[in-house]
């Protein structure tokens, strides 16, 4: 096996163990492999090892990879910041966008999603721990944004995504992830049918799964240390 295949197997084992510990079915969590900064060859190794969902942060870099690798076996998730001048590329190339935190960007994505493609699958990024300079909408503004996004014709709102600051221990990490879970529950109590809670990375996926994550986004534990900082 390649190193990447080995790593994928180890991450799947971590996810499965966390599901068992949380009394959840092991197939209730999707693994998103975060391949930002890694080569097409590295991604091909992951695909050969059965990886289906890939996450990318940098639009230009991602679009080059998507043009080469296509959509036959890969579902592409945009998890990085989306500026207005990049929405067309994102709408034309990705399957999911998890980093929507402004209505203006959502509107552009809906307007620019090509008619021959299925609706773009959307998560709203929420800033659950109040980091001042961080992306993500404040929890107090989430309900209004979610209702507005849900009206857009070429988008399908699936849930929430969070990137909390690293926590000191399992209990602290669980507590911050629980806030996202409660926000999702609240939207669903208002009649939405959201099924995706994208939270948990290499360092905190166990706590995220304990708190109800349905999608963990893992980069370094699969591909190794990144060649350049992010
Ligand atoms: C880079 C990144 C990840 C993966 O982080 P690792 O610590 O490498 O697992 C997950 N989510 C987002 C939004 C990222 O930018």
């Amino acid at each position: 096996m390649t190193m990447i295949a080995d790593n994928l197997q180890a991450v799947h084992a971590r996810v499965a163990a966390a599901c068992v510990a949380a009394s959840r079915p092991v197939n209730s969590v999707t693994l998103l492999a975060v391949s930002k900064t890694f080569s097409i060859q590295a991604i091909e190794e992951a695909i050969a090892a059965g990886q289906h969902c890939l996450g990318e942060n940098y639009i230009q870099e991602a679009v080059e990879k998507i043009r080469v690798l296509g959509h036959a076996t890969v579902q592409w998730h945009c998890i990085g910041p989306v500026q207005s001048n990049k929405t067309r590329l994102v709408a034309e190339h990705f399957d999911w966008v998890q980093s929507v935190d402004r209505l203006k960007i959502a509107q552009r994505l809906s307007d620019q999603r090509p008619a021959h493609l299925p609706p773009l699958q959307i998560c709203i990024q929420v800033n659950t721990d109040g980091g001042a300079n961080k992306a993500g909408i404040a929890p107090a503004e989430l309900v209004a944004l979610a209702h507005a996004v849900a009206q857009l014709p070429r988008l399908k709102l699936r849930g929430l995504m969070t990137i909390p600051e690293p926590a000191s221990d399992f209990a602290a990490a669980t507590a911050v992830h629980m806030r996202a879970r409660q926000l999702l529950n609240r939207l669903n109590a208002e009649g939405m049918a959201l099924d995706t809670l994208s939270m948990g990375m290499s360092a905190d996926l166990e706590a995220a799964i304990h708190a109800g994550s349905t999608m963990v986004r893992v980069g370094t534990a699969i591909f190794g240390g990144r060649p350049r900082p992010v």
Side-chain angles (χ1 to χ4, degrees), residues 48-222:
Q51 183 59 32
H52 177 57
C53 299
L54 289 169
E56 288 278 344
N57 291 57
Y58 309 108
I59 312 305
Q60 206 67 50
E61 173 191 334
V63 166
E64 282 162 33
K65 291 171 175 174
I66 296 170
R67 285 197 173 116
V68 173
L69 295 167
H71 288 265
T73 56
V74 184
Q75 190 181 74
W76 294 96
H77 293 239
C78 175
I79 59 172
V82 180
Q83 312 298 336
S84 293
N85 63 356
K86 293 281 166 43
T87 51
R88 183 173 297 280
L89 274 178
V90 170
E92 289 177 350
H93 291 278
F94 281 91
D95 301 296
W96 284 63
V97 183
Q98 300 197 8
S99 40
V100 168
D101 64 359
R102 287 185 284 156
L103 184 56
K104 180 186 167 198
I105 295 296
Q107 270 162 343
R108 290 177 65 91
L109 290 171
S110 182
D111 291 345
Q112 294 169 344
R113 180 67 168 172
H116 69 279
L117 295 176
L120 197 51
Q121 308 295 299
I122 300 290
C123 290
I124 294 176
Q125 184 176 347
V126 194
N127 179 351
T128 45
D129 58 359
N133 305 317
K134 285 197 355 180
I137 191 164
E141 295 162 38
L142 172 65
V143 173
L145 179 63
H147 284 286
V149 169
Q151 302 301 316
L152 294 171
R154 299 292 294 140
L155 306 185
K156 169 115 180 101
L157 182 59
R158 297 293 298 270
L160 305 179
M161 186 271 263
T162 62
I163 316 175
E165 293 300 313
S168 52
D169 58 24
F170 184 86
T174 302
V176 74
H177 289 310
M178 280 303 299
R179 278 185 229 150
R181 163 86 174 273
Q182 282 156 3
L183 291 169
L184 189 88
N185 288 350
R186 173 162 170 214
L187 292 172
N188 281 337
E190 290 180 5
M192 294 194 164
L194 307 180
D195 61 8
T196 303
L197 199 45
S198 172
M199 57 188 193
M201 314 203 293
S202 294
D204 65 345
L205 67 87
E206 283 82 4
I209 289 170
H210 188 71
S213 171
T214 68
M215 189 181 293
V216 292
R217 308 179 309 267
V218 178
T220 50
I222 295 170

